[in-house]
């Protein structure tokens, strides 16, 4: 399988390493990056085409395209990837909280019969949550606990004084759509949970700054006629990006492998 990636930052770099560890017949044939990102991407991917233009990227012949460059990149290139007949694996899942973008991508996928693949990221139990959606969901709650520094550079800085947080504090409560749009760098898991379960409006979210947590804690509680689901994941973060869980790139790899494996779990 030939893989094209959009973006080559912390996620792209970790994805490259994860694919190498997989040992499967997978190769990154091209990377679409900004001009300033060409030198570092070229050094890390010597056998791939490192390009800055969409036409060059799609001409490299990727079988599947992985977006790992943020919401702006998904808006710019997501529909193009799908209309080119490629399956699109989305890292910036939170961008789908934008109704117009979700509608556009769904239309592009239907037009070309391509797929929009949503990885679970650092969340656990999304398979059970998806089954519960069909069996009957009454409520879904998601709680995120991260180190205060993981919320730096986000709107959390205007809600609480992150530097003075000494114990766990909730600074946001609302539905998944508001959470994902307000915290695009931190709340991609929120969108994945909403899409798997009861939707953006019906998924309740608490975001917390917790100086005692050793990583990113993701907690899902779902209830309904099917019974109850309670899942807690404590995910270590990428060394160079405290906003992103280490599981995120491995979840992308799992999504890639599932497109070609004979047995898919």
């Amino acid at each position: 399988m030939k893989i094209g990636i959009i973006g080559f930052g912390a996620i792209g770099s970790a994805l490259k390493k994860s694919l190498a560890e997989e040992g499967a017949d997978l190769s990154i044939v091209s990377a679409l990056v900004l001009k300033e990102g060409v030198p570092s991407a070229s050094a890390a991917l010597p056998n791939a085409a490192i390009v800055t233009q969409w036409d060059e990227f799609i001409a490299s012949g990727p079988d599947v395209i992985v977006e790992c460059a943020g919401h702006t990149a998904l808006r710019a290139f997501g529909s193009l990837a799908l209309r080119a007949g490629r399956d699109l694996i989305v890292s910036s899942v939170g961008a789908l909280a934008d109704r117009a973008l979700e509608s556009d991508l769904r239309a592009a996928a239907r037009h070309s019969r391509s797929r929009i693949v949503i990885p679970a990221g650092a969340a656990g139990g999304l398979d059970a949550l998806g089954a519960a959606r069909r069996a009957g969901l009454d409520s879904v709650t998601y709680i995120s606990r991260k180190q205060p520094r993981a919320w730096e550079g986000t709107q959390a800085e205007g809600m609480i004084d992150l530097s003075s947080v000494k114990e766990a504090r909730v600074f946001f409560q609302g539905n998944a759509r508001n959470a994902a749009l307000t915290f695009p760098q931190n709340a991609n898991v929120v969108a994945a949970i909403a899409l798997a379960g009861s939707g953006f409006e019906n998924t309740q979210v608490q975001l917390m700054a917790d100086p005692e947590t050793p990583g990113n804690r993701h907690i899902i509680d779902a209830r309904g006629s099917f019974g109850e689901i309670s899942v807690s994941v404590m995910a270590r973060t990428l060394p160079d990006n405290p906003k992103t869980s280490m599981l995120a790139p491995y979840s992308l790899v799992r999504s890639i492998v599932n497109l070609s494996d004979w047995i898919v779990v």
Side-chain angles (χ1 to χ4, degrees):
M1 181 183 291
K2 296 183 290 186
I3 301 161
I5 62 174
I6 300 174
F8 195 73
I11 291 288
S13 180
L15 173 63
K16 179 244 183 182
K17 179 183 177 183
S18 303
L19 285 171
E21 294 170 349
E22 188 67 24
D25 188 17
L26 305 169
S27 61
I28 296 176
V29 298
S30 57
L32 178 62
V33 300
L34 297 174
K35 185 177 180 179
E36 56 268 29
V38 170
S40 60
S42 297
L45 300 167
N47 298 318
I50 310 302
V51 301
T52 60
Q53 301 298 319
W54 173 259
D55 290 345
E56 295 175 293
F57 178 67
I58 202 65
S60 68
D63 299 313
V64 60
I65 293 173
V66 183
E67 173 278 313
C68 46
H71 291 204
T72 299
L74 183 60
R75 290 189 178 93
F77 303 114
S79 181
L80 291 174
L82 293 163
R83 291 187 182 278
R86 285 8 181 235
D87 288 339
L88 175 66
I89 300 177
V90 177
S91 174
S92 305
V93 187
L96 296 180
D98 181 333
R99 291 185 180 88
L101 177 61
E102 182 185 1
S103 178
D104 180 56
L105 293 182
R106 285 183 182 274
R110 283 194 298 268
H111 178 267
S112 60
R113 300 197 175 192
S114 300
R115 287 174 290 182
I116 304 164
V117 181
I118 307 298
L126 296 197
D127 50 351
L129 188 60
R133 177 179 184 172
R134 289 154 178 84
L137 270 173
D138 294 332
S139 67
V140 179
T141 301
Y142 166 68
I143 300 172
S144 173
R145 303 172 76 110
K146 297 184 179 183
Q147 283 278 338
R149 70 189 185 100
W151 300 106
E152 292 175 358
T154 75
Q155 292 198 38
E157 292 181 322
M159 298 176 178
I160 59 172
D161 181 3
L162 293 171
S163 64
S164 67
V165 174
K166 305 301 180 185
E167 58 185 22
R169 286 190 51 191
V170 175
F171 60 85
F172 175 91
Q173 295 189 79
N175 65 37
R177 191 177 303 280
N178 289 336
L181 293 176
T182 305
F183 299 91
Q185 292 177 295
N186 296 79
N188 287 321
V189 169
V190 171
I193 293 168
L195 289 166
S198 56
F200 284 98
E201 270 70 36
N202 294 321
T203 301
Q204 297 304 305
V205 175
Q206 286 188 2
L207 303 180
M208 303 178 68
D210 182 0
E212 298 301 320
T213 183
N216 294 347
R217 176 77 69 180
H218 305 283
I219 302 168
I220 302 171
D221 183 85
R223 301 168 188 271
S225 57
F226 69 93
E228 300 178 4
I229 296 171
S230 182
V231 179
S232 177
V233 177
M234 202 297 293
R236 303 288 184 182
T237 60
L238 293 175
D240 53 351
N241 186 355
K243 292 181 174 62
T244 302
S245 298
M246 193 179 296
L247 284 174
Y250 287 97
S251 181
L252 291 173
V253 172
R254 179 176 181 269
S255 296
I256 293 168
V257 172
N258 276 355
L259 292 176
S260 60
D261 265 5
W262 295 110
I263 299 177
V264 178
V265 179

